[in-house]
Amino acid sequence: MANISGIAKLAGVSVSTVSRVLNNHKYVSDDKREAVLKVIEEMNYTPNKNAIDLIRGETKTVGVILPYNNNPAFDQMLNGILNKASENDFSVTVLPSEYNKNKEIGYLQKLKSKLFDGIIIASRASDWETIIPYSNYGSIVSCEYTHNTEIGCSYSDRYSSYLDTFQLLKNRGHFAVAFTTARLESNSTNQMIDAYNEVFGELPTYYHISDCQCLDDGWEAAKKFLQSPERPTAIYANGDEVAGGIYLYATSQQVNIPADLAIIGQENQPTGSVLGITTIDHQLTKVGEEAFNLVLNKSREKIKVPYSIIERESV
Amino acid sequence: MANISGIAKLAGVSVSTVSRVLNNHKYVSDDKREAVLKVIEEMNYTPNKNAIDLIRGETKTVGVILPYNNNPAFDQMLNGILNKASENDFSVTVLPSEYNKNKEIGYLQKLKSKLFDGIIIASRASDWETIIPYSNYGSIVSCEYTHNTEIGCSYSDRYSSYLDTFQLLKNRGHFAVAFTTARLESNSTNQMIDAYNEVFGELPTYYHISDCQCLDDGWEAAKKFLQSPERPTAIYANGDEVAGGIYLYATSQQVNIPADLAIIGQENQPTGSVLGITTIDHQLTKVGEEAFNLVLNKSREKIKVPYSIIERESV
DNA sequence: CCTTGACTTGAAATGCATTTCACAAATTAG
DNA sequence: CTAATTTGTGAAATGCATTTCAAGTCAAGG
């Protein structure tokens, strides 16, 4: 009987007193406290966290819905969340969604069933209308900008960063500018396209390749872009890994960077720094950290994390 | 009162009946079942998972102790774990340790406090002696080979793979072989050194650089190796990212791969595939998957996951 | 017509720790 | 030396769902 009442019995005190000792309440006499601690030690007792969570109604656990675990961008966010969670004695449960709406809803149900105190959504497939009702059961925080008031967010102003980047390229005399993105349906892809339209006008389809994630994909994308009759003079990649792939394919074809082709990456990853690729650092670690803080404070604020352009030799 | 007894009252049945409906027991009459479901629907009721976990004594959650989250090797393992966990309706909680023994113990305590059904240790700082006692409270599985019987493991036979690799290099006529590793104190570093000794004899210190994780580190390591008077003719890197950094530095110095320098990486990552670097695939995703299976089956087996050498153009 | 097995259902016990309430004892204040 | 606090402690209520036990109903088998 390794539970609190067993301990109480052995120590000759009441359950309440054991609980007080466990929680460092004052108003426990030294002798009883010692007696209790002694029995706890002897019995090698540890309180049952499920019972505690049940009665307290909170679990000090946050769930993180993220589509893929091996994605460098989501990884940075997760890192930020883990940092702050660790500091605040919270646990982090990874909820891989693969952009599957049913999985997402399943995870939100777990919030409702009191398994998590809050959920951070790194990226999502479901509509906000579907998600919002769950905000009654714990704080839900998004890592992209939200227009509603129910869901707080910690985000990087991507649209603005895309504008800046395209403008930078335009200023340097580039008009044939191509770019890669991740999912076609994603928010940031739309923002990227909008930003392109804003700066250069109507986007020709041959300047955009989607579904790029890693170095491999960048290599293939570069191949297509550079072999196309509408060859771009600059490519904006949706990540430094992708940018690295582009860089390596280009140099393998004796294309000079930046003379023949300018490249800009994103997220400031090691690959980019080694190859000297200019990049936009969206500070996703910071985004994750702030997202966790919002959950912790049950806040619905909207926190804009500033991005920065790191200029290197690829433009 | 959104709990099971509230539902019971409203539906005009007993708590037991509601529970039966919730758990799809047979032996519930259709009319009562419908009545209960109707009230559940109306009240928007969801059972409290903490209460369920408490009474069932299991949480369908596995904790994963991993030193760093942004490490590609651990990431692959985590991915494998997430895959299988998802399939089996388990949750995965990430427990970042930074190789801090206190943190590790703290996580093991959570196993004891019934928060997890099991714990997978991707890598550790604590001794097995410290860890083993906790195996009484749930299954603990290691992603490296364990010599004890208490802790099951799913592992890649690194020592053997290192032997193979060094032997391969030797067969190709390389005698000046250097290598990089991660932590100096780690198990695999020791195995790497042992394997070197086995194949080439006493290791000269100038052939080993530790604490390499990413492309950046590989670049710096290559710089040191290639500028050294004891310049190696082959380098074995502890990851394809690191190998990529070595490759890029070497080519930036007009060093020909593989004519002037052979490179072998590990883990079969995109960077390596793009650069055509020969690599040892330790199938860490598979290692993670098997580790999860061990937890699921409360097994203490030792599962050796076969590695494979992927030959490309860098040797 | 009686026995037996298949259904149905609810009361109560269970899992475990926290917290409120009530009360007693020991201090401190006035 | 009372009155008012501050300490110290335990009984009982609470949070919530599962499961066992007992008991009752009903139809099929002999």
Side-chain angles (χ1 to χ4, degrees), chain A residues 194-252:
Chain A
D194 289 350
Y196 180 96
N197 290 336
E198 178 75 21
V199 176
F200 295 111
E202 187 71 32
L203 168 72
T205 52
Y206 49 76
Y207 279 166
H208 175 207
I209 293 178
S210 66
D211 296 304
C212 291
Q213 302 280 358
C214 62
L215 220 135
D216 264 352
D217 300 329
W219 178 278
E220 292 302 326
K223 192 184 257 179
K224 280 190 200 139
F225 281 139
L226 295 180
Q227 289 176 353
S228 141
E230 326 288 349
R231 180 170 162 163
T233 62
I235 305 178
Y236 185 20
N238 58 308
D240 284 352
E241 289 281 309
V242 177
I246 294 169
Y247 182 102
L248 293 171
Y249 177 78
T251 49
S252 81

Side-chain angles (χ1 to χ4, degrees), chain A residues 18-85:
Chain A
V18 178
S19 176
R20 289 192 188 98
V21 172
L22 251 18
N23 294 283
N24 285 314
H25 278 290
K26 49 184 188 175
Y27 299 160
V28 180
S29 63
D30 290 346
D31 53 337
K32 303 228 166 181
R33 165 165 279 127
E34 265 173 51
V36 169
L37 288 174
K38 183 152 159 279
V39 176
I40 286 178
E41 175 75 29
E42 281 170 11
M43 301 297 293
N44 189 18
Y45 165 78
T46 300
N48 183 311
K49 191 65 166 40
N50 292 130
I52 296 175
D53 288 349
L54 171 61
I55 200 158
R56 286 220 222 274
E58 57 174 43
T59 56
K60 286 194 156 233
T61 300
V62 61
V64 182
I65 297 182
L66 73 185
Y68 311 107
N69 175 55
N70 50 358
N71 175 299
F74 297 139
D75 229 58
Q76 282 185 52
M77 292 182 199
L78 183 57
N79 255 315
I81 295 166
L82 285 168
N83 291 157
K84 285 293 165 191

Side-chain angles (χ1 to χ4, degrees), chain A residues 15-198:
Chain A
V15 170
S16 333
T17 299
V18 178
S19 176
R20 289 192 188 98
V21 172
L22 251 18
N23 294 283
N24 285 314
H25 278 290
K26 49 184 188 175
Y27 299 160
V28 180
S29 63
D30 290 346
D31 53 337
K32 303 228 166 181
R33 165 165 279 127
E34 265 173 51
V36 169
L37 288 174
K38 183 152 159 279
V39 176
I40 286 178
E41 175 75 29
E42 281 170 11
M43 301 297 293
N44 189 18
Y45 165 78
T46 300
N48 183 311
K49 191 65 166 40
N50 292 130
I52 296 175
D53 288 349
L54 171 61
I55 200 158
R56 286 220 222 274
E58 57 174 43
T59 56
K60 286 194 156 233
T61 300
V62 61
V64 182
I65 297 182
L66 73 185
Y68 311 107
N69 175 55
N70 50 358
N71 175 299
F74 297 139
D75 229 58
Q76 282 185 52
M77 292 182 199
L78 183 57
N79 255 315
I81 295 166
L82 285 168
N83 291 157
K84 285 293 165 191
S86 216
E87 273 176 30
N88 291 281
D89 213 26
F90 260 66
S91 291
V92 176
T93 297
V94 178
L95 310 171
S97 71
E98 285 103 39
Y99 285 116
N100 175 321
K101 290 185 187 182
N102 289 332
K103 287 197 179 182
E104 291 177 356
I105 301 303
Y107 296 141
L108 292 168
Q109 281 287 345
K110 290 191 172 183
L111 179 68
K112 193 178 170 194
S113 70
K114 297 259 156 199
L115 211 45
F116 307 129
D117 291 350
I119 281 192
I120 295 172
I121 303 177
S123 187
R124 91 222 126 88
S126 307
D127 309 316
W128 287 120
E129 285 71 52
T130 325
I131 298 172
I132 287 171
Y134 290 92
S135 64
N136 290 314
Y137 311 114
S139 55
I140 300 182
V141 170
S142 163
C143 291
E144 62 177 325
Y145 184 76
T146 51
H147 291 276
N148 55 67
T149 56
E150 290 89 346
I151 315 282
C153 58
S154 158
Y155 69 103
S156 168
D157 186 351
R158 290 181 171 267
Y159 180 66
S160 166
S161 79
Y162 297 156
L163 277 183
D164 281 1
T165 309
F166 284 131
Q167 197 59 56
L168 173 88
L169 289 171
K170 193 174 186 182
N171 293 345
R172 300 279 174 94
H174 292 282
F175 292 92
V177 175
F179 58 89
T180 64
T181 62
R183 282 185 319 149
L184 199 52
E185 328 82 66
S186 83
N187 227 297
S188 53
T189 297
N190 283 322
Q191 292 177 34
M192 181 78 106
I193 294 171
D194 289 350
Y196 180 96
N197 290 336
E198 178 75 21

Side-chain angles (χ1 to χ4, degrees), chain B residues 127-200:
Chain B
D127 309 317
W128 287 120
E129 286 70 53
T130 324
I131 298 172
I132 287 171
Y134 290 93
S135 64
N136 290 314
Y137 311 114
S139 55
I140 300 182
V141 170
S142 163
C143 291
E144 62 178 325
Y145 184 77
T146 51
H147 291 274
N148 56 66
T149 56
E150 290 89 345
I151 315 281
C153 57
S154 158
Y155 68 104
S156 169
D157 187 351
R158 290 182 171 266
Y159 179 67
S160 166
S161 80
Y162 298 155
L163 277 183
D164 283 2
T165 309
F166 284 131
Q167 198 58 57
L168 174 87
L169 289 171
K170 194 176 185 178
N171 293 345
R172 301 279 174 94
H174 292 283
F175 292 91
V177 174
F179 58 88
T180 64
T181 63
R183 284 185 318 148
L184 197 53
E185 326 82 66
S186 83
N187 226 297
S188 54
T189 296
N190 284 323
Q191 291 178 36
M192 181 77 106
I193 294 171
D194 289 349
Y196 180 97
N197 291 335
E198 178 73 23
V199 176
F200 295 112

